[in-house]
Amino acid sequence: MAKAVRFEQYGGIEVLQVVEVDRPVPGPGQVLVRVKVTSINPGEVHIRTGALHERWPATFPSGQGSDLAGFVEEIGEGVTGFSAGDEVIGFTDDRASHAEFVLVEAANLIHRPADVPWEQAGTLYIAGTTAYAAVRAVAAGPGDTVVISGAAGGVGTIAVQLAGNAGARVIGLASDANHQWLADHGAIPVSYGDGVADRIKAAAPDGKVDAFIDTFGSSYVKLALDLRVAPERIDTITDWKAAEKYGVKTEGNAEAANAEVLAELAALIEKGQLEIPIARTYPLDQIRDAYRELEKRHTRGKIVLKP
């Protein structure tokens, strides 16, 4: 038997349970991973509450989690390139990584580079691939000024660095407490709230913004348009209603959800060109506390779970 997070119905944090389940057995093409580190993401909150039922319905009892890093425990028929004991980074599309053991398609795993810390490895997939896709969607590059809302969040902190690596000037919208972190990572910090448009214009050369990545929602798509950013260079990962209304992009995890991008991001961490800040670490048994913290929407970087 093994521990895993489950919920039997849509609802708040109280529906989350840590229960005993049968230890999975790998089938053809699958790898059984003993999870050392996983993480939580805002999208999981919306799935659990039922807010995304039309887009991503749950089947009960439902598990949770996509990100993972750990050790190969067992391999299924036909799997090559992995052996028991290997250290791996990967992901599951089966809402199952918040657990001690998880079945993963071999194609969704990479070997963990030695210089990639475990906590960053286990939080890389969702936030990393989402940021990767968003930066690519707005074509951030040399000479561009890119604004990122929620710049201190899980996706935002990575997008700030990826856009900077691409040669763009980055303006990061965040609370004052996160301004030093943003400045230390090459971004121009700007406080959100009333008057933010004027503050962005003051921070941008000649007041011109070329691209906008919205990781927070609220009214940021409209703000980007008011700043005269072209719709094709605006990407929101959360405000689908605004995207439909104004014709902006919604590229995120789905557009970069593969092991090749995961390997590219891990290589950046290994080279010291990308850092994933860890806000806090919780044991699996404190899954409800982890989500309470996440739902405050004030954490810098990622929240880690350790089964």
Side-chain angles (χ1 to χ4, degrees):
M1 302 294 288
K3 291 182 178 180
V5 173
R6 294 285 186 271
F7 60 101
E8 299 275 354
Q9 62 186 40
Y10 289 131
I13 290 168
E14 71 280 355
V15 303
L16 294 174
Q17 305 286 339
V18 178
V19 301
E20 294 283 339
V21 298
D22 290 335
R23 174 170 147 160
V25 177
Q30 293 182 321
V31 175
L32 179 64
V33 176
R34 177 161 48 92
V35 179
K36 181 177 176 68
V37 179
T38 180
S39 68
I40 64 176
N41 295 282
E44 292 151 3
V45 175
H46 302 307
I47 289 172
R48 186 238 306 152
T49 62
L52 294 178
H53 176 77
E54 295 300 322
R55 185 182 289 257
W56 294 305
T59 300
F60 301 115
S62 178
Q64 279 196 151
S66 301
D67 306 307
L68 62 98
F71 304 93
V72 172
E73 191 77 8
E74 188 180 346
I75 61 173
E77 181 183 350
V79 173
T80 60
F82 296 101
S83 301
D86 285 355
E87 299 178 356
V88 293
I89 305 172
F91 61 94
T92 172
D93 294 323
D94 297 327
R95 300 178 187 172
S97 70
H98 295 170
E100 292 180 321
F101 293 92
V102 59
L103 289 178
V104 185
E105 298 299 319
N108 295 345
L109 289 173
I110 64 170
H111 291 278
R112 182 183 76 94
D115 291 333
V116 175
W118 278 108
E119 287 78 7
Q120 296 189 43
T123 63
L124 182 58
Y125 171 63
I126 290 288
T129 57
T130 301
Y132 183 100
V135 170
R136 184 174 59 186
V138 301
D144 287 331
T145 296
V146 180
V147 177
I148 299 175
S149 69
V155 175
T157 51
I158 300 174
V160 162
Q161 295 171 81
L162 295 181
N165 289 348
R169 178 184 293 102
V170 179
I171 296 174
L173 305 185
S175 64
D176 292 351
N178 292 304
H179 282 194
Q180 189 60 56
W181 187 94
L182 290 170
D184 290 344
H185 290 79
I188 302 168
V190 168
S191 298
Y192 54 76
D194 292 344
V196 65
D198 291 335
R199 291 191 292 275
I200 290 171
K201 291 174 184 176
D206 301 322
K208 184 177 183 296
V209 174
D210 301 289
F212 200 112
I213 296 171
D214 169 34
T215 77
F216 193 84
S218 187
S219 58
Y220 284 114
V221 169
K222 181 63 165 56
L223 172 64
L225 293 166
D226 289 345
L227 290 168
R228 299 185 181 277
V229 181
E232 64 270 18
R233 300 201 71 187
I234 301 171
D235 189 74
T236 179
I237 65 167
T238 184
D239 196 345
W240 296 296
K241 288 184 178 179
E244 184 177 0
K245 180 177 179 179
Y246 296 112
V248 306
K249 293 181 176 179
T250 57
E251 294 183 23
N253 166 256
E255 284 71 33
N258 58 70
E260 290 74 20
V261 170
L262 194 62
E264 187 175 338
L265 293 167
L268 290 175
I269 296 175
E270 186 179 28
K271 295 172 185 175
Q273 297 173 358
L274 177 64
E275 170 201 348
I276 301 179
I278 305 301
R280 192 166 175 184
T281 299
Y282 290 87
L284 190 67
D285 288 341
Q286 293 179 17
I287 185 72
R288 294 181 181 180
D289 293 333
Y291 276 102
R292 284 191 186 95
E293 175 138 351
L294 178 72
E295 291 180 30
K296 294 176 183 176
R297 302 194 79 179
H298 288 298
T299 54
R300 180 190 304 159
K302 294 288 293 176
I303 294 175
V304 170
L305 288 178
K306 289 190 174 181

